[in-house]
Amino acid sequence: MAAPGIPPRGPRSLLRQIRESMAAAGPVQARLDMAVRIIAQSMVAEVCSLYLRRATGDMELFATEGLSPEAVHVTRMGPGEGLVGEIVRMGRPLNLMDAPNHPAFSYRPETGEDPFHAFLGVPLLRGGRTIGVLVVQNRTERTYGDDEVEDLQIIAMVLAEMVAGGELLAQGALKDVEIAPHRPERLKGVRFAEGLAYGVAVLHEAPVAPEQLLSDDIAAEELRLTAAIAALQTQIDRMMDGQHGLVGASFEVLETYRMFAHSRGWNRSLEDAVRSGLTAEAAVERVRSEHRATVGQARDPYLRERLHDLEDLNDRLLRHLSGEGEGAARRELPDNAILIARNLGPADILEYDRTKLKGILLEEGSAASHAGIVARALEIPCVGRLSGLRDRVSQGDAVIVDAETSEAYLRPRPDVVEALQARLAVRAQRRAEFARLRDTPAFTRDGAKISLMMNAGLAVDLDILQETGAEGIGLFRTEFQFMVAEELPRFNAQTALYSRVLEEANGLPVTFRTLDLGGDKILPYLEAEREDNPALGWRAIRMGLDRPALLRLQLRALIAATRGRELRVMFPLVATVAEFRAARALVDQEVKWAVRRGRAAPSTLRVGAMIEAPALIWHLDALLPMTDFVSIGTNDLMQYMFAADRGNPRVADRYDPISPPALRALKAIQDACAETGTPVSVCGEMAGRPLEALVLIALGYDQLSMPPGGIGPVKRMVLSCDREAARRGVVGLLKGSAGSVRSEVETLARKLSIAI
């Protein structure tokens, strides 16, 4: 109980007193009891209690002033239980006038808390995780003031650092307190890029922990913060204005940086934290923890994406406060780094040393995200949608990326590591075999020629084209240039990129896909309204036709880049014949425009459509006569057919592309193309997986385009395949009633000795 006549004191003097008492000799429990007694006296509270999180997830009462001493180390609140559990769930303070009447109140008779009504509890946050709860209570029914809430938050912040640093508890007492995750864990996610990797965790843009939490000179800290924010704003403005080279962030993120960096709300939160007595660095960490604990619980993916932007912004501000600023070089990676992040922009991965980056684990994202596409292009194993990942792993933890089973192993057991190393050895042997097959033509055993092409979209892809043995680029994603530019790429910049692609291809065919923007690929320099369902919204060819100047500029650059060579161009997400007719008319207009000005027209012009919208399957008789070729984007086609977002882990496994409905649709497209003599290829994820590729070949497809890493495994399968025998086996599965015939295809492959 608070001693009468003791006035409330500011958090600075209080924390100094707590630190002095903690430094004193004596039993651990006595020092904890002293800490809560000091806090109760300072806050004029009749009760002060400290709960810490056990490895089980329970919150255990570690010390109290005012409740029954017999309840210490006896009272535990399970996850989500009681008012303490409610604070853990919310990640923010809970201030109640009459606590016993709150619906979450859980009465524990051993505590003797019956007389107390006023309740204020705040979380002990560390790295966005709630590791404890600090509570004060009074008999009187009243609401604690904003100043009291602020003071208790500051105290809780410092207590969290003291607990984690071993100042508050001896190491023996800490052994069961979950300050940081330490047990082996296995998380299930979604595969973004195939492969296996074992290494040590490296936190993406990991902030430097503040060395000093409390300031000695509030005015000086305010000046430091103001100067750092101004420097940050200037840096971002220069990036967006094109006066500074772009370094590793998509402009969608940079635009959000600029918005938040100039946000009065964000600045005010930082300023208020500094004025409360924190150093500028500690203020950033406090605001960061609050955002993680609140926004991180949001179900709205848009709000969660904004948290990712705020994380990056906080890290930049910390670097400015440390004096590193924009000239800081990225820190060195260990030789076997596994990058851990909540999310990544399209260029973030490219900033890291590719020779040392062995794998990537993401808490968010999707297989169709830019991080996933870049990881596949660089052949870096990547698993995403790992719920709670960032709060379950620490810098330097041993980590396994198993993108074959879409899992992550954190701090794996020795037997798991041993099994993984055996699998890695087998994969190394296969890679050596794939390298030997590089120049071997892909013929089936019964003589069918299968063309294996490569998907691309990054300049780095061109460097490995020859290494893969690919017969060309079946899909070049042109939107990447637009996503890493500070403004709409001009005609000359586009022409230069497309020219380089054709030259690096060295005569091999290249199929350029026009801009596939919209949906989750929003450009800050193009106005776009937020959509409830962006995958079905204003994107791809729809955007191009509604903004013909944008599409015509790209077509003009493609025509100029060919310089009399062949031009293969296709339009994404064509849903109606009218859309393709309009798009093709724009191509013809641009060719005529070039000829009128004395410029070389393509020697051969081939214009195609991507079949991704199921509606086209029943209108191929009208579409195919207008096209020179078609390409099937199985990623979108399948998710639209089954009405299941492939980037959503709750529904991504609700369908299998090796199922009767999917196979019938694919066979209908192939049959229609064969009847009209229209060349057809598959450029979705199916093409790069040996088992799925086997099904496609059995259905009659002879041109597949895939990520670079898929060419070797698929070629190995093709060389071992008897196409006619596979066709007979697969056709028999088309009329099945099962949701998947994957196991039947696997049995067929074993029966025919096909390497999958």
Side-chain angles (χ1 to χ4, degrees):
M1 183 179 299
I6 296 181
R9 292 177 293 217
R12 290 174 51 77
S13 60
L14 171 61
L15 291 169
R16 187 176 296 110
Q17 189 176 357
I18 292 175
R19 286 188 182 278
E20 290 172 355
S21 66
M22 290 298 99
V28 170
Q29 191 61 53
R31 285 184 281 158
L32 286 174
D33 293 342
M34 177 62 72
V36 294
R37 186 175 304 119
I38 293 170
I39 296 170
Q41 291 174 344
S42 176
M43 300 287 295
V44 193
E46 294 165 291
V47 172
C48 177
S49 304
L50 175 65
Y51 295 82
L52 293 178
R53 182 183 187 129
R54 286 294 189 183
T56 59
D58 292 346
M59 283 290 170
E60 179 180 316
L61 180 63
F62 259 66
T64 186
E65 169 71 10
L67 298 183
S68 173
E70 286 73 23
V72 173
H73 300 303
V74 173
T75 296
R76 289 192 177 191
M77 296 291 183
E81 183 182 2
L83 299 179
V84 169
E86 185 73 1
I87 294 168
V88 174
R89 184 187 67 81
M90 297 188 305
R92 61 177 182 268
L94 183 61
N95 189 357
L96 302 173
M97 177 183 294
D98 188 13
N101 284 324
H102 190 279
F105 181 80
S106 177
Y107 177 65
R108 294 301 181 87
E110 73 272 11
T111 64
E113 64 178 331
D114 308 61
F116 305 107
H117 292 271
F119 177 99
L120 172 60
V122 299
L124 273 66
L125 297 171
R126 182 170 174 81
R129 301 177 69 250
T130 301
I131 66 171
V133 173
L134 183 63
V135 175
V136 293
Q137 296 172 266
N138 283 87
R139 284 185 170 87
T140 307
E141 291 188 14
R142 75 178 184 93
T143 302
Y144 291 92
D146 291 342
D147 290 344
E148 293 171 300
V149 176
E150 179 84 13
D151 287 352
L152 200 62
Q153 283 184 289
I154 294 174
I155 294 167
M157 179 179 179
V158 176
L159 285 179
E161 295 300 322
M162 293 175 69
V163 170
E167 297 179 58
L168 199 58
L169 293 174
Q171 290 302 315
L174 276 172
K175 64 179 182 179
D176 293 327
V177 177
E178 193 179 30
I179 305 306
H182 62 281
R183 296 172 297 169
E185 291 190 69
R186 182 178 70 175
L187 304 181
K188 184 70 174 179
V190 176
R191 175 175 59 189
F192 290 1
E194 194 270 342
L196 294 170
Y198 174 55
V200 296
V202 173
L203 305 185
H204 175 61
E205 296 289 351
V208 178
E211 295 182 1
Q212 184 177 349
L213 297 174
L214 299 177
S215 67
D216 297 321
D217 187 337
I218 293 178
E221 288 302 306
E222 285 190 86
L223 290 175
R224 289 184 64 232
L225 178 66
T226 300
I229 291 176
L232 174 63
Q233 292 170 343
T234 300
Q235 176 194 16
I236 296 170
D237 288 342
R238 285 178 179 171
M239 286 183 177
M240 298 304 296
D241 294 339
Q243 299 173 11
H244 189 280
L246 178 63
V247 181
S250 72
F251 278 85
E252 177 185 356
V253 174
L254 286 181
E255 179 62 33
T256 309
Y257 279 162
R258 175 149 68 177
M259 179 183 71
F260 280 127
H262 289 273
S263 166
R264 294 182 62 185
W266 183 66
N267 291 334
R268 190 181 303 114
S269 297
L270 293 167
E271 292 164 359
D272 289 346
V274 166
R275 288 169 186 156
S276 71
L278 297 179
T279 62
E281 289 84 355
V284 174
E285 288 301 330
R286 173 176 165 178
V287 172
R288 179 204 298 275
S289 289
E290 290 173 353
H291 284 144
R292 285 179 180 174
T294 54
V295 182
Q297 301 297 322
R299 294 184 178 181
D300 189 333
Y302 178 81
L303 292 178
R304 291 182 61 83
E305 186 63 27
R306 301 290 70 75
L307 175 61
H308 167 55
D309 299 332
L310 281 168
E311 289 277 0
D312 288 336
L313 185 63
N314 286 324
D315 291 333
R316 283 183 182 272
L317 184 55
L318 282 175
R319 288 200 295 273
H320 280 282
L321 285 168
S322 69
E324 293 180 354
E326 59 185 291
R330 184 174 291 276
R331 54 195 163 82
E332 288 293 320
L333 290 178
D335 289 336
N336 57 340
I338 305 296
L339 188 61
I340 309 293
R342 281 193 165 83
N343 212 334
L344 291 172
D348 287 338
I349 299 173
L350 301 178
E351 291 187 337
Y352 287 95
D353 185 342
R354 290 168 51 206
T355 64
K356 296 181 178 180
L357 183 57
K358 303 303 181 184
I360 300 171
L361 295 177
L362 299 176
E363 187 165 315
E364 301 171 358
S366 70
S369 70
H370 312 130
I373 293 170
V374 173
R376 288 194 293 275
L378 299 179
E379 299 186 46
I380 300 174
C382 180
V383 176
R385 291 287 184 179
L386 295 162
S387 179
L389 167 71
R390 184 58 187 81
D391 296 334
R392 297 186 184 194
V393 63
S394 300
Q395 184 88 2
D397 280 353
V399 175
I400 290 175
V401 181
D402 190 341
E404 292 183 348
T405 61
S406 304
E407 293 174 316
Y409 292 82
L410 312 179
R411 301 166 295 277
R413 301 189 312 271
D415 59 320
V416 175
V417 175
E418 184 177 345
L420 175 88
Q421 290 172 336
R423 292 167 62 194
L424 286 171
V426 172
R427 290 178 65 88
Q429 294 173 357
R430 286 188 176 181
R431 282 197 299 271
E433 179 182 355
F434 299 154
R436 290 193 297 270
L437 295 176
R438 184 188 65 180
D439 298 323
T440 303
F443 281 93
T444 63
R445 292 207 312 260
D446 52 344
K449 176 67 174 70
I450 308 298
S451 295
L452 304 182
M453 314 285 279
M454 189 180 91
N455 295 341
L458 298 168
V460 69
D461 294 334
L462 305 176
D463 299 332
I464 61 174
L465 176 59
Q466 302 300 327
E467 298 176 14
T468 63
E471 298 175 48
I473 297 177
L475 168 64
F476 189 88
R477 303 179 177 93
T478 59
E479 60 269 13
F480 281 168
Q481 182 189 25
F482 288 70
M483 297 173 64
V484 294
E486 61 197 61
E487 59 183 1
L488 181 69
R490 303 301 183 188
F491 171 78
N492 289 340
Q494 292 190 50
T495 303
L497 173 64
Y498 306 146
S499 296
R500 181 186 171 192
V501 173
L502 291 169
E503 289 163 6
E504 293 285 341
N506 197 26
L508 295 176
V510 177
T511 300
F512 293 96
R513 183 180 70 187
T514 60
L515 294 176
D516 187 4
L517 295 171
D520 64 337
K521 292 178 276 191
I522 302 299
L523 304 183
Y525 49 81
L526 290 181
E527 293 183 6
E529 296 180 1
R530 184 181 172 197
E531 298 175 297
D532 292 335
N533 195 340
L536 299 179
W538 193 59
R539 53 170 293 206
I541 190 61
R542 298 166 182 174
M543 179 184 290
L545 292 177
D546 287 352
R547 295 202 172 177
L550 176 66
L551 181 54
R552 290 186 66 176
L553 179 64
Q554 182 179 33
L555 294 172
R556 188 170 298 179
L558 285 166
I559 293 167
T562 60
R563 293 201 292 271
R565 292 171 289 195
E566 179 186 58
L567 174 60
R568 296 175 57 88
V569 60
M570 64 180 176
F571 297 100
L573 200 64
V574 175
T576 67
V577 172
E579 288 177 342
F580 181 78
R581 183 184 296 113
R584 176 141 201 170
L586 291 179
V587 179
D588 295 336
Q589 290 176 32
E590 288 306 315
V591 171
K592 293 176 181 177
W593 184 92
V595 171
R596 285 199 304 269
R597 283 155 181 77
R599 300 176 182 177
S603 60
T604 305
L605 176 63
R606 302 189 186 280
V607 182
M610 289 196 72
I611 300 178
E612 300 169 285
L616 279 185
I617 298 176
W618 292 278
H619 216 182
L620 291 173
D621 56 338
L623 174 73
L624 295 182
M626 300 181 184
T627 66
D628 298 309
F629 67 92
V630 294
S631 187
I632 304 172
T634 53
N635 299 352
D636 276 337
L637 178 62
M638 293 301 159
Q639 74 168 349
Y640 293 146
M641 281 185 60
F642 291 95
D645 180 1
R646 59 193 171 93
N648 184 337
R650 290 186 175 182
V651 298
D653 60 354
R654 293 295 181 98
Y655 68 89
D656 190 337
I658 304 183
S659 63
L663 299 185
R664 290 183 200 177
L666 292 169
K667 188 174 188 302
I669 298 171
Q670 203 284 327
D671 289 348
C673 291
E675 184 177 343
T676 59
T678 305
V680 58
S681 66
V682 178
C683 63
E685 292 293 324
M686 282 187 72
R689 299 172 186 155
L691 189 69
E692 283 87 338
L694 167 62
V695 171
L696 292 171
I697 292 170
L699 292 175
Y701 291 94
D702 53 20
Q703 181 169 306
L704 309 177
S705 189
M706 62 202 71
I711 293 176
V714 170
K715 181 179 287 189
R716 177 172 173 263
M717 180 276 295
V718 170
L719 295 172
S720 66
C721 174
D722 183 316
R723 183 178 194 173
E724 180 57 27
R727 184 195 66 78
R728 291 194 299 268
V730 169
V731 168
L733 302 174
L734 296 180
K735 297 182 180 180
S737 61
S740 172
V741 291
R742 182 173 294 271
S743 61
E744 288 86 345
V745 175
E746 290 173 343
T747 300
L748 176 65
R750 287 193 294 270
K751 178 181 177 181
L752 299 177
S753 300
I754 299 174
I756 57 170

